[in-house]
Amino acid sequence: MKLTIDSSPEYIEAEICIRCCTIDKTIQDVIDLVQNKKTTLSVQQDGATRMIPINSVYYLESVDDKTFVYCKDNVFSCGLKLYEAEEMLADTSFVRISKACILNIDVLDSVKMMINGKMEAALDNGEKLIINRHYVPAFKKKFGM
Amino acid sequence: MKKKIFLKRLKLYGTSFCISYTIASMILSALNINSELIKENIWLTNIQLLIVCFTIAVLMLITDTLLCREENLFSLPNFLLGLADVAVPVLVMGGPVFHWFSLSTIYILIPIIILFVVYAATFALFYINAKLTEKELNRKIHERKERLQHDKQNH
């Protein structure tokens, strides 16, 4: 990827122009950064606060009014309420799958329809989550169905 | 949320009532050609049909709401309950109330067999639809993973 910076007193307003063949993930990340979209999440572990990239988050779960952030091998707590996290992650790969859980669809391995109308989502770290039947339409919509 | 679910159910069974009454009326009209009794009382028969279809829809709504049977969509109890929701109004109202048929064994058995076949076919359709949805979703998940993998490699 080439980076060209053209700085001159002639330019009154800064402009970022991206020339690309197709908008892939890297380009999209740059666009998100320029547009100030959230790409990190503030979490706490052992009393320390840190920022983690949202694409490393597998799912968020609310337990006893506390929100927990589950990554591949770690679990953090988060100061946000689940609905706040849902709003923040609205235009990302996250989707609400039950009253207490928001899932990152990028970590999905497969899904399975259950006989009671729910779905079982298998993640790529071996975990399984249940998609409540009332959230199945929104889940399918995330995949353009 | 509960209100939303109830309204969804209401919409579903309202639509079912409209569709079932339309189909039943069409069948009645087709059968009307050879039946003298129906020809004379066609308006009365239509009203009776309307009442039976409406009763079925209301019964289904009540059982769904009270027993939350949607939680076990494909289970045998759910299947039998659905069958009862239709069979009971048809047999009770169609037989002793509206005198469409006498309550002999054959007239009870034949509708039950027909209903059983219709319900089995409907459940099979639901099941096949669910499996097709599962297959399509898994295909899209696989495509998405490959696209992400490709993007990561390019990065």
Side-chain angles (χ1 to χ4, degrees):
Chain A
M1 189 189 294
K2 278 196 302 185
L3 176 64
T4 307
I5 300 173
D6 182 10
S7 175
S8 166
E10 293 173 1
Y11 302 124
I12 299 161
E13 190 187 351
E15 181 185 349
I16 295 174
C17 175
I18 299 174
R19 292 196 183 89
C20 58
C21 179
T22 53
I23 299 177
D24 59 16
K25 193 182 177 309
T26 310
I27 303 294
Q28 189 60 51
D29 284 344
V30 172
I31 294 169
D32 288 346
L33 195 64
V34 170
Q35 289 176 339
N36 243 347
K37 278 190 183 172
K38 277 282 185 179
T39 53
T40 57
L41 186 65
S42 172
V43 296
Q44 293 87 40
Q45 191 184 41
D46 300 327
T49 301
R50 51 190 277 205
M51 302 296 285
I52 59 167
I54 61 167
N55 57 14
S56 69
V57 175
Y58 273 47
Y59 60 96
L60 294 94
E61 194 175 33
S62 174
V63 179
D64 294 335
D65 281 338
K66 287 184 191 155
T67 304
F68 293 94
V69 177
Y70 292 79
C71 297
K72 189 172 182 180
D73 302 310
N74 278 312
V75 181
F76 305 97
S77 62
C78 177
L80 294 171
K81 295 276 183 200
L82 200 70
Y83 76 89
E84 289 170 337
E86 190 184 8
E87 280 167 13
M88 192 188 92
L89 298 167
D91 296 323
T92 63
S93 56
F94 285 78
V95 65
R96 189 88 169 237
I97 60 166
S98 72
K99 203 175 166 188
C101 188
I102 300 171
L103 170 68
N104 180 1
I105 60 170
D106 286 344
V107 304
L108 271 175
D109 194 51
S110 64
V111 293
K112 191 175 143 186
M113 291 297 287
M114 293 169 75
I115 59 168
N116 52 8
K118 295 179 183 177
M119 287 176 75
E120 184 185 79
L123 311 188
D124 59 24
N125 65 348
E127 279 191 76
K128 289 186 175 150
L129 297 175
I130 300 296
I131 304 170
N132 188 285
R133 63 189 309 269
H134 299 296
Y135 294 93
V136 166
F139 179 80
K140 282 160 71 173
K141 200 175 172 186
K142 250 334 191 196
F143 288 95
M145 287 172 67
Chain B
M1 186 68 176
K2 277 186 180 172
K3 191 182 172 185
K4 214 175 169 183
I5 295 169
F6 179 74
L7 288 172
K8 246 186 170 176
R9 282 189 182 132
L10 196 63
K11 188 181 165 188
L12 172 68
Y13 291 112
T15 311
S16 301
F17 158 64
C18 293
I19 294 172
S20 64
Y21 178 61
T22 305
I23 294 173
S25 302
M26 286 167 67
I27 294 171
L28 182 67
S29 301
L31 293 173
N32 188 34
I33 299 167
N34 289 322
S35 169
E36 286 299 322
L37 181 64
I38 293 175
K39 265 185 191 160
E40 283 171 18
N41 300 308
I42 188 72
W43 63 270
L44 183 64
T45 312
N46 264 315
I47 290 171
Q48 290 168 348
L49 199 59
L50 184 78
I51 293 168
V52 170
C53 290
F54 184 75
T55 308
I56 291 169
V58 168
L59 204 58
M60 280 181 158
L61 178 65
I62 290 170
T63 49
D64 264 6
T65 307
L66 290 178
L67 302 176
C68 295
R69 68 177 205 190
E70 285 177 272
E71 290 297 320
N72 295 306
L73 209 57
F74 299 123
S75 68
L76 186 62
N78 190 39
F79 176 88
L80 293 174
L81 193 61
L83 199 65
D85 279 343
V86 178
V88 167
V90 169
L91 291 172
V92 169
M93 299 175 99
V97 179
F98 296 141
H99 306 291
W100 288 348
F101 48 82
S102 60
L103 278 180
S104 62
T105 312
I106 192 85
Y107 282 120
I108 293 171
L109 212 57
I110 290 173
I112 287 177
I113 291 169
I114 292 170
L115 288 170
F116 191 89
V117 168
V118 168
Y119 259 82
T122 308
F123 264 72
L125 277 171
F126 265 107
Y127 183 77
I128 290 166
N129 187 46
K131 281 294 168 190
L132 287 173
T133 304
E134 180 185 305
K135 195 177 172 184
E136 179 66 12
L137 270 171
N138 282 325
R139 187 184 66 80
K140 286 187 182 275
I141 288 167
H142 185 68
E143 275 174 12
R144 193 183 174 94
K145 277 169 83 80
E146 280 188 343
R147 210 167 45 239
L148 284 169
Q149 201 65 32
H150 184 255
D151 286 346
K152 265 185 192 167
Q153 280 169 0
N154 283 346
H155 180 62

